[in-house]
Amino acid sequence: MSGEQRKKIIILMINMFIAVGSFGIIIPILPAYLQSINQGGTAAGLMIAIFAGAQLIFSPIAGKWSDQYGRRKMIIYGLAGLTLSMFIFYAVNSIWLLYASRVIGGVGAALLIPAIFAYVADITTMGQRAKGNSLVSAAMSLGIVIGPGLGGFLADFGLKIPFLVSALVSLVAVLFSMMLLENSETEEATAARAAIQDNESMVSKLARSVKMPYFIPLVITLVMSFGLMAYESVLGLFLDKQYGATPQQIALMVTATGIVSVIVQLFLVDRIVRIFGEIAVLNIFIGVAALGFLLSLFTRSYSLFFVISLIIFLATSILRPVLNTLISKMAGNEQGFAMGMNNAYMSIGNVLGPTLAGVLFDVQIMYPFVLGLVLLLVTLGITIVWQKRTLKHSALANK
């Protein structure tokens, strides 16, 4: 990459880190805060579902806007939405206003995330795209690691202090982007996109995505998000009930998996893709993730489950940027739409995964892992069939 490309990627990484990290700050103290305003598990679950639902509904629209009006505007507006959400969270105690703030935050995330990955596609070549996406994904993973730890530390100064710090840090990101982030396209290209009329409903966008060449990668994104969020949502409860793990042991596992994600995305993804190619990497690491879920059904100790969790997160840390890269390469000139649909499919998984996992966990604590295993095996089969069809079409086209 050139020096100018690196500069822009670094700015995007900082934005992604701040956006994810500022939200992660509130995670450790959210249960205690909800209890302080006489709310419990239902409210906690709705906080996750409302955010993901708003992100799901708005992602296709946001992706199209990214194509029409430029990535820079959407990144700034998305950060502004997250900032407003955090300020509302700090300023009020009404549960309904808190829910409203989660809607605003979900819309902000829908504007921000597709625009960032579309921006990466604008400024990189096909050969550089895996590297660019893995760097931005690493910044996301680092925010997931740093945010909760910082939130736990800040809570010692007051239950609402993490909300205020989160809002202020996010505001800094808005100002930072306004001053330093340049447009990823020429003014002429942006103006041409702005002339495009967008009259499609979200349902129409989802229906159109089925016909796209990158539909199968979108399905894989959904299933991976579904399985990972289902896994994460019951992880603490599972460790407590199955192994009697302490809060410190649970925190150690979450932090370790986050660190693995950062290391893998920074140093390994690009090399692995260069050696094997995106499709082969999908096959290999969907298989690795499925193996992890299978082994988790037979573990009898916290230490062994810890190792297996690292394997699962290693696989998903490679799959996430590879899927983004594959979709981006197949999207052509509709980068914003493709990344918006990618975010929408991911949000569907984020909504359904924790909901179904919680229900299954109450029936039998191993069922969420059985579900994850079945879905990954089905996905692996779909990926292999899709790969064969893609190769066959390519061979026919070359005759």
Side-chain angles (χ1 to χ4, degrees):
M1 289 186 184
S2 67
E4 186 65 23
Q5 285 175 308
R6 290 193 187 95
K7 174 187 172 183
K8 291 178 179 178
I9 290 289
I10 289 171
I11 293 173
L12 295 177
M13 289 175 67
I14 292 171
N15 280 336
M16 186 66 85
F17 171 76
I18 290 175
V20 176
S22 64
F23 173 71
I25 285 175
I26 74 171
I27 291 175
I29 47 86
L30 186 59
Y33 173 68
L34 290 175
Q35 187 176 6
S36 74
I37 59 172
N38 299 316
Q39 299 294 328
T42 299
L46 284 174
M47 290 290 175
I48 298 172
I50 288 172
F51 184 94
Q55 191 175 356
L56 163 64
I57 292 169
F58 211 77
S59 284
I61 303 169
K64 194 67 175 180
W65 283 357
S66 174
D67 281 337
Q68 288 181 289
Y69 306 120
R71 325 304 187 196
R72 179 179 179 272
K73 286 183 180 179
M74 294 303 105
I75 290 171
I76 292 172
Y77 293 158
L79 287 169
L82 291 170
T83 301
L84 177 60
S85 174
M86 287 298 100
F87 272 119
I88 293 173
F89 226 96
Y90 170 71
V92 305
N93 286 325
S94 165
I95 189 63
W96 296 107
L97 289 176
L98 293 177
Y99 289 153
S101 80
R102 300 300 288 144
V103 173
I104 295 170
V107 171
L111 291 170
L112 176 70
I113 295 174
I116 285 182
F117 283 110
Y119 195 115
V120 171
D122 290 342
I123 64 172
T124 57
T125 65
M126 288 290 191
Q128 296 169 334
R129 200 155 298 168
K131 180 68 172 178
N133 283 331
S134 64
L135 288 172
V136 172
S137 296
M140 182 186 294
S141 298
L142 188 61
I144 292 171
V145 172
I146 300 296
L150 183 59
F153 169 76
L154 291 171
D156 290 339
F157 299 95
L159 203 53
K160 277 206 164 190
I161 293 299
F163 301 140
L164 177 60
V165 172
S166 174
L168 293 173
V169 169
S170 188
L171 179 60
V172 169
V174 175
L175 300 175
F176 173 80
S177 295
M178 291 175 66
M179 291 186 292
L180 297 180
L181 189 64
E182 301 174 356
N183 287 319
S184 61
E185 299 179 302
T186 64
E187 291 184 5
E188 291 79 7
T190 302
R193 290 188 188 279
I196 300 171
Q197 295 298 313
D198 179 26
N199 298 317
E200 281 186 294
S201 66
M202 185 195 69
V203 173
S204 297
K205 293 175 191 292
L206 288 170
R208 182 154 71 95
S209 71
V210 175
K211 302 175 183 178
M212 293 298 176
Y214 47 83
F215 174 63
I216 296 300
L218 288 175
V219 172
I220 298 170
T221 297
L222 188 157
V223 174
M224 187 184 72
S225 299
F226 186 107
L228 190 58
M229 287 303 296
Y231 179 85
E232 289 181 346
S233 65
V234 300
L235 182 60
L237 292 172
F238 176 80
L239 292 173
D240 176 50
K241 288 193 174 184
Q242 190 78 347
Y243 307 119
T246 65
Q248 289 76 18
Q249 288 176 314
I250 296 171
L252 176 62
M253 181 178 291
V254 173
T255 302
T257 53
I259 292 172
V260 166
S261 298
V262 173
I263 293 172
V264 165
Q265 289 165 349
L266 279 176
F267 302 111
L268 295 181
V269 172
D270 187 50
R271 295 179 183 179
I272 292 172
V273 170
R274 287 179 184 275
I275 294 171
F276 298 104
E278 286 91 354
I279 303 258
V281 169
L282 285 183
N283 291 339
I284 293 168
F285 287 98
I286 290 174
V288 170
L291 177 62
F293 273 87
L294 176 63
L295 293 175
S296 69
L297 300 177
F298 303 101
T299 55
R300 294 294 179 265
S301 70
Y302 167 84
S303 299
L304 185 55
F305 191 84
F306 192 125
V307 173
I308 292 169
S309 294
L310 292 180
I311 293 172
I312 292 172
F313 275 85
L314 181 147
T316 56
S317 298
I318 292 172
L319 288 170
R320 195 186 307 276
V322 168
L323 282 166
N324 288 337
T325 300
L326 187 60
I327 292 168
S328 175
K329 285 184 175 181
M330 301 177 76
N333 293 325
E334 287 194 315
Q335 293 295 325
F337 176 80
M339 291 299 103
M341 295 313 305
N342 184 40
N343 203 28
Y345 277 72
M346 181 177 66
S347 298
I348 293 172
N350 290 347
V351 171
L352 297 179
T355 304
L356 186 55
V359 173
L360 291 174
F361 186 87
D362 288 338
V363 176
Q364 215 285 336
I365 63 173
M366 300 307 300
Y367 281 177
F369 304 103
V370 173
L371 175 65
L373 172 61
V374 171
L375 287 174
L376 284 169
L377 290 175
V378 170
T379 304
L380 181 58
I382 293 172
T383 306
I384 292 171
V385 171
W386 175 64
Q387 180 184 9
K388 290 181 178 179
R389 287 183 179 178
T390 302
L391 291 173
K392 182 178 179 180
H393 288 313
S394 297
L396 291 173
N398 292 329
K399 284 185 178 181

